[in-house]
């Protein structure tokens, strides 16, 4: 080895860097283990509680811990629990805002709707889709007329290209501002080591929030636009008068009464405001906020004597009342005669959460909305009334008097009664306006509205100067903190939608850690034993290199603060299995040189030299598939790709440098200082003669038959697609009985399916039993279009499970929510990932071997492998297996890994063919192919066996999360080994032979 001292020096520096970062990794996990132990004992142990508080207040401890985090890898969501969110910025809302007064233009609205529909199926930015739609729907219209604005230098005569450039700039600006505001909110929320990524050109923000235990709280934090407004309000008599007219008009529209009777009844309600005799003796206390003077038809203490009715009679009366009163049948009202004339209370009705959407629909109907005065707007309270079953207030707002842009600071505080509230500070102009507003509205309510919901409506007792105000709304401390957080971070330019999310509970994270590391340690030990048994003392050298490789992988992951996930652990395990390949290639070449009678030193030198090109080509092609996987993957799939690429680089360092240094040391000691196998392993494969050329047509027929068979299965059976490819929500639910795993049977699963089909309004869910009989994976497309219904669907799910199984405790240990747009993008990204990997491999082999026949043979072999793997998944998808056989992101990652592995095998064979063509010039081409395949068969089989063993261990011991992934890898290893010998090589041979005949 040239420049040995320099290489050793660089290697020592590299080892030192890895050791340094691994030390801090040890410190991080040691500190976290201590803190978890103290937290677990703090409730019952006073000493532990004091120690925990001391640690939290110890600056030195916190600084050391933060330094450890900055210099080590962190655990992914699937290992410690947390939340992964795909947030989409509403670029369509940006375009709508920029249109201003023209936003109601028919052509403009049709173009917006068209662009939104196309974005469901096309992976393209919204702005060009909108431009195309507008051009198609209104070919004679000008974009300049829609977006004319002197401030943005757009006029009617501005060209469409200039308008498009403006829209692109404004959309990009809105996305970047949203990203920065969301990042500020997350930082203030207190998530440890959050990871945010802005997907260029898509308007999407990807967030990894490890350790999050309150998903709904995070959803609220991310969705909130933080559009803060201050409104004056109407009193409830004003509101009731309008709502009464709405109810009467609905009666007419639905044919319940005729027009004449409505007119006479309306005259009565109009007299409410002026008939003081009706109100003089009213005894309702308007300060009693808890009841608000509301009554309900269903209350047992009404004067109608309904308390004397049976339940059946009462239900009948209620249904009759609802039929006669379209609005008041679902909106709880009050007796207007019981309200004092000076009552300013703005709550005009109350309704169950399940009825609020229907009431909104009624009030926004075209024939009804004309009855609502221009200075009246109805908004719901942010929070349900205390002590009631999800009942929300309907508040009558009057005028917008102040915007939230005047707020300069916000913090969580407490009022005089010790209740959590949010204190706000305003700028000079806002403080001046607020003082005037409060002075003009003494003894009246002013509503504080955030994102269209009323958080509070305090009564103004006096003029408020200095710009200080507060929001009180029966908040918990966390709710007040979150509200202060979003107000302080600022208003989002446009709403952001949660288009996808993954939630992993801490219990599942701990289970994944155990299964992941168990499989890793077992696979590593088996690999070490195999190498020691097959290569004798040289095997121990390889094992030292493998151990060093493991240290390098973990050290580099820590140095680059890589997020370690379950797929990442799988990548490390597979990399260790594949790292054996480099040592096997080298050792087999050394054996060949020694068989020729060369000295140990000369054999080692020639072995490394001859194996170098094969080692590099094999690893570079696998590395390139990792690059593609990283470019198109998200979340854990990216973690897998990063771990795979790091492992390939470090395996090259360990095999080509560490192994070489140790073998050179032995070579300098003498002739018999090291052996490369035992008598029963040396020459084990020397007598194998596959005679591939003679048998190639037989294998062509076998492969063609498999391809036709599985192609028919694609057409006839199709695929079972995962939730990330088709959209929907997926929940993993754990059933416990008295704290122990419940034993669910097939009959239980069928009953649960029936119960949930009823709960999901006939939308039958897909239910799969996990490897643990007490865990069910439940997938449903129910309300998938409603991007804000995740928590609602989960609540409905639990209610459905309780119908017949309320004796069990049910824990949702993980959930996945993928919107249709994200699912479409994932499908396209998967297709492009496979396509680009094939293109890259084709050109790399063309570059290295200078013959397109090699490239085409390799690509056909890869297609062969992919079709067979997909075909097996298509067939098995019809069975109820205890692991995933769905087409999803994990399978795409497996396919790319298989492509890398298959081409790795193929390149090694091609490399030997190329070498032998130069040395065996008098030998016919078919004989060169036969000899080359026979010479590389030992390396092919040994590498396949070691990688297959690690994949099998991952499958059986790695946990449910990666079972489908590793099953695909197992199939791919076997198929890839076959195709590299019996598909890629024969095809390239036939193509080269045809070329030779054509040239002759």
């Amino acid at each position: 080895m040239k420049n040995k001292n320099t290489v050793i020096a660089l290697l020592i520096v590299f080892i030192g860097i890895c050791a340094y970062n691994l030390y801090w990794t040890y410190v991080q996990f040691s500190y976290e283990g201590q803190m978890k132990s103290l937290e677990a004992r703090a409730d019952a142990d006073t000493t532990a509680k004091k120690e925990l508080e001391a640690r939290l207040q110890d600056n030195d401890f916190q600084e050391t811990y933060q330094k450890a985090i900055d210099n080590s890898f962190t655990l992914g969501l699937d290992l410690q629990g947390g939340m992964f969110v795909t947030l989409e910025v509403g670029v369509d809302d940006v375009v709508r805002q920029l249109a201003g007064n023209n936003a109601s233009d028919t052509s403009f609205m049709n173009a917006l709707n068209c662009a939104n529909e196309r974005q469901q199926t096309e992976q393209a930015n919204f702005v060009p889709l909108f431009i195309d739609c507008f051009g198609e729907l209104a070919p004679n219209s000008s974009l300049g007329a829609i977006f004319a604005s002197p401030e943005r230098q757009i006029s009617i005569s501005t060209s469409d290209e200039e308008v498009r450039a403006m829209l692109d700039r404004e959309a990009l600006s809105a996305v970047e501002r949203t990203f920065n505001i969301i990042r500020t909110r997350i930082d203030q929320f207190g998530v440890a080591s959050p990871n945010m990524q802005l997907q260029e050109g898509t308007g999407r923000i990807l967030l990894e929030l490890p350790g999050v235990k309150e998903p709904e709280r995070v959803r609220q934090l991310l969705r909130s636009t933080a559009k803060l407004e201050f409104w004056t309000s109407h009193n409830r008599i004003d509101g009731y008068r309008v709502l009464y007219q709405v109810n009467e008009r609905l009666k007419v529209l639905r044919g319940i009464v005729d027009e004449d009777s409505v007119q006479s009844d309306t005259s009565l309600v109009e007299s409410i405001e002026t008939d003081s005799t009706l109100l003089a003796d009213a005894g309702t206390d308007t300060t009693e906020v808890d009841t608000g003077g509301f009554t309900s038809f269903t209350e047992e203490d009404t004067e109608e004597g309904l308390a004397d009715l049976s339940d059946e009679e009462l239900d009948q009366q209620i249904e009759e009342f609802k039929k006669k009163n379209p609005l008041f049948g679902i909106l709880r009202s009050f007796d207007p005669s019981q309200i004092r004339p000076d009552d300013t209370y703005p709550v005009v009705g109350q309704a169950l959460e399940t009825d609020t959407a229907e009431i909104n629909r009624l009030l926004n109907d075209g024939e009804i909305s004309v009855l609502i005065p221009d200075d009246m707007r109805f908004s719901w309270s942010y929070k349900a009334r205390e002590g009631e079953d999800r009942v929300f207030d309907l508040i009558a707002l009057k005028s917008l008097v102040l915007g939230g842009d005047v707020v300069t600071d916000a913090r969580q505080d407490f009022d005089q009664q010790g209740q959590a509230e949010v204190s706000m500070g305003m700028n000079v102009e806002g403080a001046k306006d607020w003082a005037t507003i409060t002075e003009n509205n003494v003894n009246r309510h002013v509503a504080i509205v955030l994102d269209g919901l009323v958080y509070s409506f305090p009564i103004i007792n006096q003029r408020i100067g200095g710009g200080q105000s507060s929001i009180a709304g029966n908040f918990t401390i966390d709710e007040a903190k979150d509200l202060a957080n979003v107000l302080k971070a600022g208003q989002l330019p446009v709403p952001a939608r949660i288009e996808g999310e993954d939630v992993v509970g801490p219990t599942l994270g701990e289970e994944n850690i155990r299964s992941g590391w168990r499989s890793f340690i077992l696979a590593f030990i088996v690999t070490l034993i195999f190498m020691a048994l097959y290569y004798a003392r040289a095997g121990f050298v390889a094992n030292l290199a493998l151990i060093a490789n493991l240290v390098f992988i973990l050290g580099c992951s820590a140095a680059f603060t890589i997020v370690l996930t379950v797929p990442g652990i799988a990548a490390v395990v597979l990399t260790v299995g594949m790292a054996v390949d480099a040592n096997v290639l080298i050792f087999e070449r050394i054996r060949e040189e020694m068989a020729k009678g060369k000295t140990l030193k000369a054999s080692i030198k020639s072995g490394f030299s001859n194996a170098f090109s094969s080692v590099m080509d094999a690893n570079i092609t696998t590395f390139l598939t990792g690059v593609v996987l990283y470019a198109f993957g998200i979340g854990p799939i990216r973690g897998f790709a990063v771990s795979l690429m790091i492992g390939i680089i470090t395996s090259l360092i360990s095999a080509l440098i560490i192994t070489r240094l140790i073998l050179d040391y032995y070579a300098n000691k003498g002739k018999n200082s090291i052996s490369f196998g035992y008598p029963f392993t040396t020459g084990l494969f020397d007598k194998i003669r596959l005679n591939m050329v003679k048998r190639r047509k037989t294998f062509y027929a076998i492969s063609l038959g498999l391809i036709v068979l599985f192609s028919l299965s694609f057409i006839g059976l199709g695929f079972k697609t995962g939730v990330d490819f088709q959209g929907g929500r997926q929940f993993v639910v754990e059933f416990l009985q008295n704290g122990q795993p419940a034993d669910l049977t097939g009959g239980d699963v069928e009953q649960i399916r029936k119960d949930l089909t009823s709960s999901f309004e006939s939308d039958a869910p897909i239910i799969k039993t996990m490897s643990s009989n007490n865990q069910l994976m439940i997938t449903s497309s129910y309300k998938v279009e409603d991007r804000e219904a995740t928590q609602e669907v989960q609540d409905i799910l639990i209610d459905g499970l309780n119908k017949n199984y309320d004796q069990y405790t049910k824990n949702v240990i993980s959930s996945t929510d993928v919107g249709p747009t994200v699912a479409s993008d994932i499908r396209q990204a998967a297709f492009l990932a496979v396509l680009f990997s094939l293109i890259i491999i084709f050109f790399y082999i063309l570059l290295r071997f200078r013959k397109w026949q090699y490239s085409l043979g390799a690509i056909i072999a890869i297609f062969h492998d992919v079709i067979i793997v997909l075909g097996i998944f298509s067939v098995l998808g019809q069975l109820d297996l205890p692991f995933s056989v769905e087409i999803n992101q994990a399978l795409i990652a497996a396919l790319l890994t298989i492509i890398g592995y298959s081409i790795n095998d193929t390149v090694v064979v091609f490399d030997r063919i190329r070498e032998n063509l130069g040395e065996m010039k008098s030998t016919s081409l078919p004989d060169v192919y036969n000899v080359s395949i026979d010479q590389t068969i030992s390396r092919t089989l040994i590498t396949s066996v070691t990688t297959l063993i690690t994949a099998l261990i991952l499958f059986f011991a790695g946990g449910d999360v990666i079972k489908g992934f590793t099953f695909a890898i197992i199939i791919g290893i076997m198929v890839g080994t076959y195709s590299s010998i019996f598909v890629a090589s024969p095809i390239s041979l036939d193509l080269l032979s045809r070329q030779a005949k054509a040239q002759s």
Side-chain angles (χ1 to χ4, degrees), residues 464-481:
I464 302 175
Q468 292 299 315
S469 187
S470 62
I471 304 176
N474 194 28
F475 300 128
T476 65
I477 293 176
D478 283 341
E479 288 172 338
K481 284 181 179 178

Side-chain angles (χ1 to χ4, degrees), residues 688-701 703 854 906 909-910 913 924-937 977-993:
I688 290 180
R689 298 292 181 267
L690 293 178
N691 199 1
M692 176 274 299
V693 175
K694 183 178 180 180
R695 297 188 175 97
R696 71 185 188 281
K697 291 184 179 179
T698 300
F699 290 109
Y700 281 164
S703 294
Y854 288 117
T906 303
V909 177
F910 283 175
I913 292 170
S924 67
L925 188 62
D927 288 341
V928 170
Y929 265 78
N930 276 335
V931 170
S932 300
I933 290 173
D934 291 342
Q935 287 176 338
T936 55
I937 194 64
T977 302
Y978 164 86
S979 68
S980 64
I981 299 172
F982 298 111
V983 177
S985 298
I987 288 175
S988 66
L989 169 63
D990 286 340
L991 292 173
L992 286 170
S993 298

